[in-house]
Amino acid sequence: MILKAENISKKFPRKLKEANFFYAVNPLDFTLEQGKVTEIIGRSGGGKTTLLNMLSGLLSPSDGRVTLDGKDIYSFTDKELSLLRNEHFGVVPQGHTGIENLTVLENVLLPYVLYHKDNKAEERALELLERVDILTLAEAYPSELSGGEVRRLAIARALIMNPEFVFADEPTGDLDDENTESVLQLFRELANGGTAVLLVTHEAEAKKIADITYKMNNGNIEPVSGC
């Protein structure tokens, strides 16, 4: 599968002198390659998260197209796009994303149970919780977790459907050195297995696992040579 952005941009309303909008992402092309870890670095406010959200089907571009195997994903109905994201995309967002009235295990299983009525994914969920070292917290609730544990819950949940594309926004932001190394190794293993992994990160250690590095600044993106 090939995910491409073709001349996409994103502008938001803001009254500033004569302009009534500003560009968070200036027009750009981008291809996310399967079997590789692609990282986007840069200062906060440079447009990284906005670009990730457009590529992952969460935020429609103001102009341009995001295509999956040649099909514009934003031409789909809401239901069709939701199903596409569920089947093919795994997203690790910033912030606290656990649903408070669900256990850790139930949170991880949520993308599966939205479209399936069986319990065939429970073994996979437990394996993922063990992989991110929070298996002992399977029956706990998000309010009982530390920030780093919630982040690892989000990583496990993003992987429950075995997605072809993983979009991770600062996935190691709340993690200690040991768990940072473990999570980055997990992303490397996913890419080695054919998954396309996109990391938006300030984590210096991420460059060790990245195949391709881009830098974003003021809504513009450029490749970083030597990475």
Side-chain angles (χ1 to χ4, degrees), residues 41-96:
I41 61 175
R43 295 180 182 275
S44 297
K48 302 185 303 297
T49 294
T50 301
L51 176 58
L52 181 148
N53 287 339
M54 288 193 289
L55 293 171
S56 61
L58 296 173
L59 180 68
S60 61
S62 300
D63 296 291
R65 304 193 312 157
V66 177
T67 64
L68 183 63
D69 284 348
K71 298 179 181 178
D72 184 354
I73 67 173
Y74 289 104
S75 69
F76 293 2
T77 66
D78 287 345
K79 184 176 181 180
E80 289 170 338
L81 181 55
S82 178
L83 182 59
L84 180 145
R85 289 197 306 260
N86 182 267
E87 291 182 344
H88 302 293
F89 296 169
V91 180
V92 183
Q94 287 193 46
H96 191 293

Side-chain angles (χ1 to χ4, degrees), residues 97-165:
T97 58
I99 297 177
E100 294 294 342
N101 63 340
L102 298 180
T103 67
V104 168
L105 178 59
E106 289 168 341
N107 266 280
V108 172
L109 284 168
L110 185 59
Y112 185 85
V113 301
L114 285 174
Y115 291 96
H116 304 82
K117 301 302 181 183
D118 56 66
N119 61 354
K120 292 181 180 179
E122 186 165 327
E123 182 178 354
R124 163 76 172 162
L126 294 172
E127 290 173 353
L128 287 168
L129 289 176
E130 183 173 23
R131 184 65 177 78
V132 298
D133 199 25
I134 54 172
L135 179 60
T136 58
L137 299 172
E139 299 306 318
Y141 288 87
S143 61
E144 303 174 274
L145 307 185
S146 68
E149 289 164 347
V150 172
R151 188 60 56 93
R152 284 178 278 159
L153 179 161
I155 293 168
R157 184 180 57 207
L159 302 181
I160 188 64
M161 298 295 291
N162 295 301
E164 288 94 345
F165 298 89

Side-chain angles (χ1 to χ4, degrees), residues 179-224:
N179 283 303
T180 291
E181 183 178 353
S182 177
V183 164
L184 291 176
Q185 182 58 36
L186 173 58
F187 289 136
R188 182 66 262 171
E189 291 170 8
L190 290 169
N192 290 345
T195 303
V197 179
L198 178 63
L199 300 180
V200 164
T201 183
H202 290 97
E203 179 58 60
E205 292 298 306
K207 67 182 179 181
K208 295 180 180 179
I209 67 155
D211 300 294
I212 304 168
T213 300
Y214 292 93
K215 185 174 183 179
M216 274 199 90
N217 185 44
N218 293 328
N220 299 307
I221 194 167
E222 61 182 6
V224 177

